[in-house]
Amino acid sequence: INFTTGIGTLHLTENTVIDSTGVLKPTNLYLNGFSLTTPGDIEAEYIFGAGTINCNKTTVNESITVNSNIVINGNLTVKKLIFSNNNLTVNGNCTINNYLEMTHDGDYLLVNGNLTMSLYSNASSSLSAGTVEVKGDFAEASSSSYSNYQYWETGTHKTIFSGNLVQNVSFNLPSYNCFKNPYFRNPHI
């Protein structure tokens, strides 16, 4: 199968394999508790529901609302990542290009690769609860002081560094970022 245009909304009703090395482009992807597997890439505007994505690279041009558990086996690039008391596991690298919201104790982002962010938030409360766990490098790469808070932890929000190798941590604009509850489980950080 070769998808040459977007395919609108895709609702999974069973575990699905699409044998295409091209780019699968659903506007809306509803996982509905199932898995979507393709050797190619997935580019969606929005992803909804629990499930698993198995592909090389997943690009979400707008947002993922994590209101149920999601696993992405491959790399993820997303504009907005909004948690609602559930888990997102990325078994690859994760890039967040605009906004990360974690305000519930049960919000959990596990990145088994590198986490790179360019966050733009004017609300110091967007990281007020939940956990970000990173196994690779951590970088907040915003190049503009447009927002007052980029990766700014408040409340009970915490960041865990738990890789097995050296993990690099960097902030492009350190004065706009703040760890409140960092945990360093990796002795090589």
Side-chain angles (χ1 to χ4, degrees), residues 21-184:
T21 57
V23 179
L24 176 64
K25 295 183 179 184
T27 301
N28 300 305
L29 174 56
Y30 290 87
L31 297 171
N32 298 322
F34 298 103
S35 67
L36 175 60
T37 302
T38 180
D41 297 338
I42 296 173
E43 182 177 334
E45 295 298 311
Y46 301 93
I47 294 178
F48 303 97
T52 302
I53 297 174
N54 301 298
C55 69
N56 181 46
K57 178 177 72 173
T58 300
T59 302
V60 182
N61 295 321
E62 283 301 322
S63 68
I64 298 175
T65 298
V66 184
N67 55 13
S68 50
N69 297 332
I70 299 174
V71 176
I72 296 179
N73 293 314
N75 296 323
L76 170 66
T77 300
V78 61
K79 182 176 178 181
K80 296 178 188 172
L81 190 53
I82 302 167
F83 283 79
S84 183
N85 225 16
N86 279 285
N87 302 331
L88 171 62
T89 300
V90 179
N91 292 315
N93 297 322
C94 180
T95 302
I96 305 169
N97 286 323
N98 185 280
Y99 185 74
L100 172 61
E101 180 178 296
M102 300 178 87
T103 58
H104 307 285
D105 288 336
D107 296 345
Y108 201 93
L109 171 61
L110 171 60
V111 179
N112 284 306
N114 298 327
L115 175 60
T116 304
M117 299 165 290
S118 292
L119 302 179
Y120 300 95
S121 173
N122 285 317
S124 65
S125 61
S126 64
L127 295 175
S128 61
T131 302
V132 171
E133 182 174 355
V134 182
K135 304 270 185 187
D137 294 343
F138 177 102
E140 209 307 317
S142 296
S143 59
S144 169
S145 59
Y146 165 76
S147 93
N148 295 327
Y149 307 98
Q150 291 164 357
Y151 192 87
W152 195 277
E153 291 182 317
T154 63
T156 60
H157 190 273
K158 63 185 170 219
T159 304
I160 300 171
F161 298 94
S162 60
N164 294 321
L165 302 173
V166 172
Q167 288 181 265
N168 297 301
V169 177
S170 65
F171 293 105
N172 196 41
L173 299 170
S175 61
Y176 292 89
N177 295 275
C178 172
F179 286 129
K180 182 174 182 195
N181 300 301
Y183 290 82
F184 302 100

